[in-house]
Amino acid sequence: MIKRNHLLWFLWTLLSVVGITVIMGFVFFGGPRHLLLIGKTTAAHGQIELACESCHTTGLVDNLTKSPKKLAAAMTKACGTCHLEELSAANDSHPTKKFRGAKKAKTRAQLNAFYCQTCHAEHVPEITRPMAVSLPQDLCVACHSKIGEERESHVGLEFTTCASAGCHNYHDNSALYEAFLVKHGHGEDFLPHAIQEFAAESRSPSIIRTALAKEDPVFALKTYLNEKQIKTDDESNEPLNAETKAKLSSQAQEMLDLVLYAKDVIAPAKYLDEDAVHAWETSAHAASGLNCASCHAPELKDSMDLVALEENWTEKPSLQVCSDCHQDQATTFTQGKHGMRFHPELAAPRVVEADGPMSVAATFFKDAPLGPITVGESARKDLMKPDAHDMQIGSCNTCHKPHEVNLEVASVEACTTCHNDDHTQNYFNSTHFELWQLELAGEGAPGSGVTCADCHMPKVEAKEGFFTSHNQNDFLRPNEKMIRPVCMSCHGLGFSIDALADPKLVESNFNGRPSKHIESIDWALKREE
Amino acid sequence: MSKIINMLVGGALLAAIPVSTTNADGIDPGDVTDMLHAVMDSDRTIYTKMIVGRLVAEHKLITATENFEDDISAPLPAQMFRMGAEAVADRTDLFEYSLQSLWPINKPNAENQTELEKEGLAFVADNIGENFYGEEVIDDLKYFTAVYADVAVAEVCATCHNEHKDSPRTDFKVGDVMGGVVIRIPLDG
């Protein structure tokens, strides 16, 4: 009887160990990993929460042996992988380095902002507030408790209002800092010649197409390049010398030589769709000398072998293909909610060494990349159109019409294919939309209309010229980030601050005027007196 | 045979190279902070005189402003010093330094001053030409802390501080002690 009991216990233990190993292996490698979550993450991180090692960069051994400080530092470093560039561009008011060293010991005892997770703890949805902040709203009191004694204007203000009343942000105060308020504090609500400079340039007729329509295209293009060069060298204000003129003339000829026409198209017969060829012929791609294979079979982009091209043809080119030329756009795309599952630093699928103890489980349950998100997986799918829930977001052609010469579709229509919130719906009754319609009708100057993309994906300065940021979330965290690159193209600073601090006005898509006035500019100007 | 000769010659040469340039007790931390401060103070003085004093105040070729990035101007000497301290902290935690004052423009910066630091700042303000040295424990770590007077070396130092709207003191003159450079070296490793 005793022997039989021992045998049963042994069998029970063995089966339990095997069973648990199989279940853990299944969960760990490609199974329902969400069962291991200790709590949901914030909306954006929710998309990548199952790529655990993206944030949890320390392994099991480190977690058991390293000090809490070292583990916290590793986590903060992981945050920086995706967010440091954005913070740096915003001239972060509270970089973590502000809290390091012995000299900041007192501050750290109050608020240890040397680590991101002090304010932005994850997996705690029950205490997480907007902007993924998991600390109480009065966190500023830790360092600025005496502000009421130093500034008359701040006497009696609650510390819960510092970052919620339209005056300050913890990280990005690039449009809210005092000297900026003073400098732009007297601006009018509506600027007299409201034009978005970069959008105007982007939406103006192509210089090459315009030149080609002239009697002497080389002369026309050279003239344009001359004017641009003089504008660039504005400070010198000197006429261009003969050498520069000859160089520009040769440059104009080279640009025109690149232009391809319908007769130049190289593609397997089955893909020679008349509409597609026509759209391509009038596109910037054809004007830059890019034939079909440049995107559809990039490895064979210079090949004339139609059989080989057909064998290697990709009907819907990937993000990687577009990013070869549109690098800034692709990079920023992977930094926003639309493309973050393709961020290059995201943890790769889990693999296990062939001779590792979990290799048996790994044989059966293989991990896979996260892949594109569907609209239905969005944390705010309640604000999306139900018939778009199955749509995958993860490639350029989700929003961009292939071969389309202009970006009208990507600027408004593409957004409203999925987004269905009040702000989006009200856009079509807004002044911004009215201006966009006028611009489309040719009654408004290029850059005078305001599309969804103009505000949420603004054109920002690059090393050479500008590019359209494809990180639409960057300018919403918080919304004051729109003030400088967007609002101030057409509005004064005061109006912009008031408008963005009025949630009802935002919801109505700015139909009306701000219902309240933020006093920060008044206070800043008063201190100047 | 030739290998043996080579080994003997090599060994003799290695033995002739001094193992360390320090004495058995190491360098006195006060000497280290003095050396560090000599570098900091010289760079800071030259920036203040040759860039801000000369190009900004005298020839008016450029401006130096607090919001130098937006203004496309030169950083103020105190900002240049702070950026240097931050860059050093990016590279090493063997020492740290900062600019402190009993009359701070940036008030939260002074909130962190330790009792020893305050004592040192008062000492260098009251004893012209003297430095302050001491030891303190912060976060369970023992530090050697030195404070050096930060003097208004050019007219711009005094006028800028006197005219700043957040300055608690407005009567600085050239030669006045406006604050101090605090250098800390952890002694516990």
Side-chain angles (χ1 to χ4, degrees), chain A residues 91 97 100-108 143-144 146 150-151 177-180 484 527-528, chain B residues 67 69-71 86 89-90 96-98 107-109 111-113 118 138-139 143 165-166 184:
Chain A
N91 199 8
K97 64 185 175 188
R100 72 182 161 193
K103 64 180 183 291
K104 292 292 180 179
K106 272 191 193 172
T107 297
R108 282 200 304 275
C143 302
H144 302 279
K146 293 180 182 167
E150 294 158 14
R151 301 268 173 104
Y177 71 85
E178 192 173 6
F180 193 79
R484 287 177 68 152
R527 276 199 353 126
E528 287 296 297
Chain B
N67 303 295
E69 284 181 84
D70 266 356
D71 298 343
E86 287 172 355
D90 284 340
E96 63 177 53
Y97 65 98
S98 67
K107 309 288 188 303
N109 193 35
E111 293 280 307
N112 281 277
Q113 286 170 4
K118 286 177 189 168
I138 303 171
D139 263 359
Y143 289 88
K165 54 192 167 192
D166 288 324
R184 280 196 182 89

Side-chain angles (χ1 to χ4, degrees), chain A residues 200-214:
Chain A
E201 196 175 329
S202 164
R203 301 205 283 252
S204 293
S206 148
I207 52 160
I208 291 177
R209 301 284 172 209
T210 307
L212 284 170
K214 304 279 183 189

Side-chain angles (χ1 to χ4, degrees), chain B residues 33-46 81:
Chain B
T33 56
D34 283 356
M35 290 189 282
L36 291 170
H37 179 253
V39 178
M40 293 169 198
D41 192 48
S42 303
D43 287 352
R44 181 165 149 71
T45 302
I46 288 167
F81 193 74

Side-chain angles (χ1 to χ4, degrees), chain A residues 23-74:
Chain A
I23 290 168
M24 288 306 289
F26 175 53
V27 171
F28 192 78
F29 298 104
R33 198 178 296 158
H34 65 274
L35 294 174
L36 301 176
L37 285 172
I38 54 171
K40 287 295 290 176
T41 51
T42 45
H45 289 167
Q47 278 196 41
I48 55 165
E49 66 186 3
L50 298 184
C52 314
E53 292 86 352
S54 304
C55 304
H56 300 277
T57 53
T58 48
L60 182 64
V61 176
D62 279 348
N63 291 344
L64 295 173
T65 56
K66 300 274 183 190
S67 70
K69 279 184 183 177
K70 285 193 173 162
L71 294 175

